[in-house]
Amino acid sequence: QVQLVEFGGGSVQAGGSLRLSCTASGLTFSSYDMAWFRQAPGNEREFVAWISGSDGVTAYLDSVKDRFTISKFNGENTVFLRLDSLRTEDTGVYYCAASGGGIYNRAASYAYWGQGTQVTVSS
């Protein structure tokens, strides 16, 4: 049974930082592309960042480039998302997801999802 469990959400002021982590079990972690999505109240789930399982190539939503960093540690089946220079519009529930392939910024490409962790940024 595949499980993804996120940690690290919280409440910060604008300009602050957070580090999210997501630990996977029940799958061959290095064979999966991993991503972070987020969802704000009343909005659809939105792609944030992606890291390739095969070679570590990354991609980001334009509005988070140079502020967020995705990374992973295969030895611990964990993917991280470092969030710096946070803005109020970054508020939402952040989900990690695992995919065996497909269009990296489409939620439909991901078979497995975590339960989400709340990030709240205040002004």
Side-chain angles (χ1 to χ4, degrees), residues 9-49:
S11 297
V12 296
Q13 289 192 319
S17 298
L18 286 171
R19 187 193 195 208
L20 309 182
S21 64
C22 169
T23 299
S25 60
L27 52 75
T28 304
F29 185 74
S30 59
S31 297
Y32 282 77
D33 298 340
M34 301 297 295
W36 289 92
F37 286 74
R38 67 186 180 189
Q39 189 166 19
N43 290 358
E44 293 188 354
R45 197 165 293 191
E46 173 184 53
F47 165 77
V48 176

Side-chain angles (χ1 to χ4, degrees), residues 86-101:
L86 280 160
R87 304 169 181 169
T88 55
E89 56 263 38
D90 294 319
T91 293
V93 178
Y94 282 68
Y95 299 89
C96 74
S99 168

Side-chain angles (χ1 to χ4, degrees), residues 58-79:
T58 59
Y60 297 90
L61 177 69
D62 282 348
S63 64
V64 309
K65 281 180 184 176
D66 301 323
R67 299 191 298 120
F68 291 7
T69 304
I70 188 171
S71 61
K72 67 187 178 106
F73 182 30
N74 286 344
E76 294 187 353
N77 286 7
T78 299
V79 60

